[in-house]
Amino acid sequence: MEMIGTGSTSTARGRRNRSDALARVLTFLRANLARTADELRPIAEGCVVSSPSLPAVWSVNHVRVAVPLAFQSIVELADEQMRRCRYLQVLLENQDAGPALEAEFRGASWKTERELLMALSAPPDREVDTSIVIDAGEAEAAEVMRRWYGEDELDPRALAQLVDFSRRESRACGDRLLGVRSSDGRLVAVSKLRGDGRTAQVEDVYTTPEARGRGFGRALVTRAVELARDAGHDLIFITADDNDWPKELYARIGFRPLGRLWQFHLG
C-alpha cells in the first residue's frame, strides 16, 4: 500500500508524493466521467462534460477547469461552453486558484461547494467487524440511493434522473455495490467500490436515517478498503464534503487530505 504524506509533510518528497497521488486521482475521476457522460470534450482549459440525456444532473454537465484562470475568464468560458444548459456549472481542479475563486464566486451569488479528496495513508483508530457487509443488488441499491437524493426535496424529474445517473455510473465504472441489511432483511446502508487495478475509489456512502448511529458507514468503508487492497490497488481514495462531518469518520479510518475540488453553480 502506497503511504501518501507519511513522515514530515514539509519534505520535498512528501509534497511530490501527494502531488503524484492527486494527479492519479484526477485522472481516474476524468476517466470515469468519460465512461458515464454522454460526451467529454477536451479544451485548452480542461474539458467540457455534457449529458443532454441527463440535463438535471450537474456532475455530468459542467466545465472542468484544470489551469489557473481569473474569475471573469471562467464565467465567460462557462457561458460559451454551456449555452444549451439552463444553468452554469464549473468544477475547478487547480489547487492554488481554488480558495480565492471560491470567495469571488460566492460574492457573485453563485452556489459554492468544496469537496475534500482523501487518500488512505494511515492505520485505522480501531478494528471493525465487516462481516455485516454484503454485496447488494442493483435494484435495491438504487432504491436506497433514491432515498438519499430525496432528502434534498428535489422535483420528481430531477430525482428520477439522479437515480438513473447513479445506476448508469455504476454500470459504466464496473462498481461493486456493497450494503448492510437490517434485521428484517431490508437494505439500509450502501456504498460503492470502483477501481482500475492501481487506483480505487470508495464512493456514495449512505445510511438511511432510521439505521444511523450503528457503525454501518464505518463498516462499509472498511470493507471497501479490504477489497481494494485484496485486488492490488496501491492508492485508495474517498471524497467528502469539506464542510460536513463524514470527513472526520474517514480520517479515523485512515484517510488523509490529498486535495480539493471546487464546484460553482448558477441558475
Side-chain angles (χ1 to χ4, degrees):
M1 172 62 56
E2 180 179 353
M3 302 299 281
I4 306 301
T6 56
S8 172
T9 58
S10 63
T11 65
R13 181 177 179 181
R15 290 194 299 270
R16 185 171 61 253
N17 286 345
R18 289 194 300 277
S19 178
D20 291 346
L22 178 59
R24 279 178 60 181
V25 165
L26 294 176
T27 298
F28 181 89
L29 291 172
R30 289 189 216 108
N32 286 327
L33 269 176
R35 295 184 182 98
T36 307
D38 293 351
E39 179 186 21
L40 188 148
R41 177 167 50 84
I43 57 175
E45 299 84 357
C47 62
V48 178
V49 184
S50 176
S51 298
S53 62
L54 297 169
V57 182
W58 302 349
S59 57
V60 284
N61 291 283
H62 66 266
V63 177
R64 203 171 186 93
V65 179
V67 299
L69 286 179
F71 166 75
Q72 190 57 41
S73 296
I74 294 177
V75 173
E76 292 172 359
L77 179 66
D79 278 331
E80 175 188 355
Q81 298 294 341
M82 300 190 68
R83 286 191 297 265
R84 297 180 181 178
C85 287
R86 296 179 290 104
Y87 55 82
L88 300 179
Q89 173 80 4
V90 174
L91 188 144
L92 181 69
E93 295 180 347
N94 187 271
Q95 301 299 297
D96 296 327
L101 284 168
E102 181 179 357
E104 288 192 79
F105 274 98
R106 186 182 296 112
S109 298
W110 287 57
K111 179 179 180 180
T112 65
E113 296 179 359
R114 187 173 63 248
E115 287 191 338
L116 181 64
L117 301 171
M118 306 179 74
L120 187 71
S121 60
D125 61 350
R126 60 182 173 87
E127 296 298 317
V128 176
D129 178 10
T130 62
S131 62
I132 61 172
V133 179
I134 52 91
D135 286 293
E138 181 184 84
E140 59 182 353
E143 285 308 306
V144 176
M145 294 298 294
R146 184 184 300 275
R147 289 194 62 184
W148 184 8
Y149 295 138
E151 291 182 5
D152 289 334
E153 299 182 353
L154 301 170
D155 67 71
R157 175 173 166 272
L159 178 58
Q161 287 188 30
L162 281 167
V163 174
D164 185 30
F165 161 72
S166 177
R167 185 183 298 109
R168 180 199 293 193
E169 181 184 46
S170 290
R171 290 176 178 175
C173 299
D175 290 350
R176 184 164 181 174
L177 306 178
L178 304 175
V180 176
R181 298 191 188 281
S182 61
S183 58
D184 62 2
R186 292 181 303 110
L187 197 69
V188 293
V190 294
S191 68
K192 301 174 182 178
L193 173 64
R194 64 183 60 136
D196 63 6
R198 295 185 64 232
T199 303
Q201 179 184 11
V202 185
E203 176 69 339
D204 287 345
V205 182
Y206 174 73
T207 302
T208 59
E210 71 275 10
R212 291 172 186 166
R214 297 162 64 182
F216 292 165
R218 180 189 278 263
L220 282 164
V221 175
T222 302
R223 180 56 179 155
V225 166
E226 292 172 351
L227 292 168
R229 282 175 163 163
D230 289 346
H233 297 90
D234 66 357
L235 175 58
I236 304 169
F237 76 98
I238 196 167
T239 63
D241 185 335
D242 205 11
N243 294 314
D244 207 351
W245 67 266
K247 67 180 183 181
E248 299 171 7
L249 169 62
Y250 303 152
R252 293 195 292 271
I253 295 171
F255 289 88
R256 297 293 182 265
L258 183 63
R260 287 171 172 80
L261 298 174
W262 291 264
Q263 298 185 64
F264 310 121
H265 182 86
L266 183 67

